[in-house]
Amino acid sequence: MSKDKEKRRIEQLRELLHHHNHLYYVLAQPEISDFEYDQLLKELIELEEKNPDFTDANSPSQRVGNDINKEFEQVKHKYPMLSLGNTYSKEEVTDFEARIKKALPNENIEFICELKYDGVAIGLTYKNGILTQAVTRGDGVQGDDVTSNVKTIKSIPLKLNKTSVPDEFEIRGEILFPHDGFLKLNKEREQNGDPLFANPRNAAAGTLKIQKSSIVAKRPLDCFLYFILGENLPHHSHYENLREAKNWGFKVPEHIKKCKNIDEIFEFINYWDTERKNLPFDIDGVVIKVNSYKQQRDLGFTAKSPRWAIAYKFQAEQAKTKLLSIDYQVGRTGAITPVANLEPVLLAGTTVKRASLHNSDQINMLDVRINDYVFVEKGGEIIPKIVGVDKDLRTPESKAVEYIKKCPECGTELVRVEGEAKHYCPNETGCPPQIKGRIEHFISRRAMNIGAAEATVEALVDKKLIQDVGDLYFLTKEDVLTLERFAEKSANNLIKSIEDSKNVPFPRVLYALGIRYVGETVAKTIAAEMKSIEDIKNASVEQLTDIHEIGERIAESIVNYFNNDKNLKIIDKLKISGINLEITEDEEVAAENKLNGQTFVISGTFEKHSRDELKELIVKFGGKNTGSISSKTNYLLAGENIGPSKLEKVKKLNIPMITEDEFIQMIEG
Ligand code: IVH
C-alpha cells in the first residue's frame, strides 16, 4: 500500500470503528461480531504504528469504548477502568508468558486463569461494608452512576458479611444476563411487539440503562466480581483476595485456576473453548492474570492496559454446510430479506437450517451461489449469518443467485431507494405482512395500546375479519370467539381494550397510523400545529414544511399517504367509530397558553425527568425543541455537565438559561 493509501485507510477505519463503537456501547445494537470489530481495530493499530506522523488523540485506537448515557449522572472513576489486551492467537499467549518470564527473571510466577465473562463491566464501591456506588466503565475515566439499578441485582451484596473488610475498596466485575432469563425476556418482548435483544450482553446493557429501577428489578441479572482495588486489602495477591471476597459475600469466579506454566494455561483455555456451551451464561474467552501484586506493579501498564494480564478470545463458532436455496422474507415494513436454506449443521449447540444473507449487496460481495459450501457463524445476531464461501469446493452444479424482482407475497414490483441497502415492496396497503405490520404498530403500547398478541392479529387478518386498522372498531365479540384459544372472557377483554382506545389523544392516533417517517415526536409537532386530521389531509407539502422541524421527506410522505384511497377509507372508518381525530379543547388550551411556540434547546443531565420526558413536555405545551442553539432559540434548558461550546454559544447570543425546576414552573405555574 502506498503512504497515501494507508492514510486513507486509517481515516476510513477510524470512521468505521467510531460508528461501530457507538452501535455497541451506546445503542447496544452491534452490527458486526466482536471478531470483525477486533480485526478492524488491529488493522488500524498496525497502520497507525507504521505511520506515527498520522496519530490522533481521538482515534478509536486510543479509547476503551464508551457507554456514557446522558440520562445518568456521570462519576469519575477513582482508579481508571482499563481494559485488557485482546488476542485470538495462541502464539500471542505464549509470547505474553515469555515476556513476563523475561521481565521477571528467576522469579516464581503464578498465573491465574479465569473465564472472560461476556457482559457489562461494573465497578462497585463499598464503604464500611456498605455498597455506596456502582459505576459503568463509560470512557474508562468516567462512567454512569447506575447504583439504584445495580442494587436490584440479587447476587450483589448491599451489606457485607464480616467486620474485617477494608474501610473502603472497589470491586469490579461483569453484569450478566443468564440464558434462561434472556430467552424468557425475548419471548415476552416478542409477544408485546417490542424489539428483541440480539444477545444476552445487549440485554444486560439495555437493562442497566433503564431509568426505572423497578423494571430492572424484574430482570434476572447476575454478577461475577473478579478484580479488587483498595489500599488496605488483606492479601498481597489477586487469587487470595478473591477468596477472601467470597467470604465477605461476593460472587467471585467459580471456574478459576492457578497455573504455573503455559501448558497449564492452555489446558484451561482448551477445556473452556468446548465446555463453554454448557455454561448457563455467555463467556467470550479466558483472562490470564499474574497473581502477585508486587509482580503486577513491576510489570506495570501500557497506555491502555496492564502488562500483567491478557484476554484470549474464542473464535465465534463457525460451521461449513451446503446452501440449498434462498427464500425471500417480506418484513412488517415491506423490507425484503434473503434467507438461506442450508443442509442442517450443528453450530454452538443447536442445529442450524437457515441463515441470513441480509441483502443483495451482501450476496454479491460474498459471491455466494446456490449449491456452494458456505461458512455459517453465530455473531451478535439472533439468527446465524453466512460469512464466506469455500470456493475450493465449488462445482459446476453451482448456480448464480438471481435476486427477485417481485414481492413473493403480493407480486408487486420491488423498489430500491437510493442509499438504502434493502429492496422494498411498495404495496403498503395490500401486501399481507405489511397489513399485519401496520395493524401491530397501530395497536402497540405507545400508539393505541390495544391488548392483542401478534398471533391474534395474524389470525384476524388470515380469517379476513380485518383488512386494516379501521376494521378493528367493527369487530364483534362473536367474531373474536371464532378464533382459536378465545373464550368469553378473553373476547370481552379484547373488545373492551379496542373500545378504550377511543380515548387515546389525537397525537398518538396520528402516530398510530404508521405514516412513514411520522414517529412520536413528529406526530406531536404536527398535531399541535394542524389540530385535526382533516387539516393534515388537506395540507400541501409547502404548508407542512412551514412547520418547524418538518422537512420535505416527511411532508411528502404525509401527502402521499392521504393521496391513497385505501388510506382515506381507513380514516373514514376511524371517524365513524369515534376515534380522536382532532386535538381536544383541553389539549388545545394547554398548547396555546403555556410555552406558546417558544423554542428550547435541552442540554446536560437532569434530576427529575429524562431528556425524552422533557422533550415531550415541551411539545405537549406548545413549545419547540431543537438540537442546536441559534438566534431563534428562546431558552436553554440546562442540566448538569453542559458542554463548554454550548455555554459559550448561549452567552454570545444572550440566550437565557433555565433550570429544570424553572421549566416545570413555566408549565405548571
Ligand atoms: S480483569 C485491569 N477479569 O473483559 C483489567 N476482566 O477487555 C481488569 N472481563 O475490562 C479486568 N471477564 O470488562 C477481568 N475475569 C475477568 C473478566 C474481565 C470479563 C471483561 C472486563 C474487562 C474486559 C477486558
Side-chain angles (χ1 to χ4, degrees), residues 82-86 114-118 120-121 137 173-174 226-227 253 284 287 289 301 306 308-309 311:
L82 296 175
S83 99
L84 296 177
N86 268 336
E114 293 165 20
L115 303 182
K116 180 164 163 24
Y117 302 98
D118 194 8
V120 181
R137 180 205 305 281
E174 206 83 357
Y226 47 62
F227 188 44
D284 59 346
V287 177
K289 304 173 183 171
F301 292 82
W308 46 264

Side-chain angles (χ1 to χ4, degrees), residues 410-471:
C410 69
T412 306
E413 188 120 353
L414 300 180
V415 291
R416 189 166 175 192
V417 181
E418 209 182 286
E420 286 186 18
K422 293 209 173 210
H423 287 72
Y424 278 90
C425 166
N427 183 13
E428 285 176 23
T429 48
C431 180
Q434 296 192 65
I435 294 175
K436 288 173 193 166
R438 294 180 76 177
I439 298 173
E440 274 157 18
H441 168 75
F442 184 81
I443 67 173
S444 64
R445 229 174 320 144
R446 299 182 74 97
M448 302 304 279
N449 193 21
I450 296 173
E454 211 176 296
T456 308
V457 173
E458 188 114 22
L460 287 167
V461 174
D462 290 345
K463 285 205 155 189
K464 302 238 168 348
L465 288 168
I466 55 174
Q467 308 254 29
D468 59 52
V469 299
D471 295 340

Side-chain angles (χ1 to χ4, degrees), residues 33 48 53 233 247 285 406 451 513 517 534 537 551 587 592 604:
S33 67
E48 283 181 344
D53 55 320
L233 303 179
N247 296 330
K406 292 198 166 144
L513 293 177
Y517 309 126
E534 269 310 297
K537 189 174 92 183
E587 286 162 338
E592 273 174 9

Side-chain angles (χ1 to χ4, degrees), residues 455-456 459 463 479-487 490:
T456 308
K463 285 205 155 189
D479 289 336
V480 179
L481 280 170
T482 64
L483 302 182
E484 259 176 58
R485 277 180 295 156
F486 269 87
S490 44

Side-chain angles (χ1 to χ4, degrees), residues 415-663:
V415 291
R416 189 166 175 192
V417 181
E418 209 182 286
E420 286 186 18
K422 293 209 173 210
H423 287 72
Y424 278 90
C425 166
N427 183 13
E428 285 176 23
T429 48
C431 180
Q434 296 192 65
I435 294 175
K436 288 173 193 166
R438 294 180 76 177
I439 298 173
E440 274 157 18
H441 168 75
F442 184 81
I443 67 173
S444 64
R445 229 174 320 144
R446 299 182 74 97
M448 302 304 279
N449 193 21
I450 296 173
E454 211 176 296
T456 308
V457 173
E458 188 114 22
L460 287 167
V461 174
D462 290 345
K463 285 205 155 189
K464 302 238 168 348
L465 288 168
I466 55 174
Q467 308 254 29
D468 59 52
V469 299
D471 295 340
L472 281 168
Y473 295 92
F474 297 90
L475 276 177
T476 63
K477 192 172 88 183
E478 288 65 38
D479 289 336
V480 179
L481 280 170
T482 64
L483 302 182
E484 259 176 58
R485 277 180 295 156
F486 269 87
E488 190 70 18
K489 189 161 167 232
S490 44
N492 275 335
N493 283 347
L494 177 55
I495 297 293
K496 177 163 185 307
S497 178
I498 294 173
E499 197 56 33
D500 288 349
S501 75
K502 293 181 181 170
N503 296 323
V504 166
F506 175 53
R508 268 172 59 192
V509 176
L510 184 58
Y511 163 65
L513 293 177
I515 303 171
R516 191 167 279 182
Y517 309 126
V518 180
E520 282 174 278
T521 315
V522 170
K524 272 179 202 155
T525 309
I526 295 176
E529 197 77 16
M530 292 253 157
K531 316 274 193 267
S532 73
I533 203 87
E534 269 310 297
D535 285 358
I536 301 174
K537 189 174 92 183
N538 296 327
S540 63
V541 169
E542 291 72 39
Q543 282 167 319
L544 288 164
T545 47
D546 269 351
I547 305 175
H548 189 70
E549 292 234 306
I550 304 302
E552 218 152 90
R553 192 179 64 145
I554 301 174
E556 275 168 11
S557 164
I558 294 172
V559 169
N560 279 343
Y561 178 91
F562 288 105
N563 272 341
N564 183 326
D565 279 346
K566 284 193 180 165
N567 289 332
L568 296 181
K569 285 203 183 104
I570 295 174
I571 304 289
D572 283 342
K573 288 185 215 174
L574 295 180
K575 238 180 242 169
I576 296 167
S577 41
I579 307 294
N580 284 321
L581 291 173
E582 53 188 39
I583 296 250
T584 62
E585 245 168 65
D586 283 358
E587 286 162 338
E588 206 166 342
V589 169
E592 273 174 9
N593 284 354
K594 302 285 178 166
L595 302 180
N596 212 8
Q598 310 262 33
T599 301
F600 290 77
V601 171
I602 307 178
S603 183
T605 52
F606 297 88
E607 235 175 61
K608 297 179 184 141
H609 297 83
S610 71
R611 288 160 71 103
D612 279 342
E613 283 167 349
L614 291 171
K615 275 186 205 164
E616 262 178 42
L617 286 170
I618 292 172
V619 177
K620 181 168 168 206
F621 288 94
K624 285 168 192 159
N625 169 234
T626 57
S628 58
I629 297 164
S630 72
S631 57
K632 289 193 190 130
T633 309
N634 296 97
Y635 295 100
L636 177 72
L637 176 44
E640 294 282 318
N641 297 327
I642 303 184
S645 65
K646 279 216 167 105
L647 279 178
E648 209 173 293
K649 216 161 175 192
V650 288
K651 271 201 196 124
K652 212 164 122 198
L653 295 170
N654 219 355
I655 292 165
M657 296 211 292
I658 52 166
T659 64
E660 185 177 13
D661 285 339
E662 285 166 336
F663 171 73

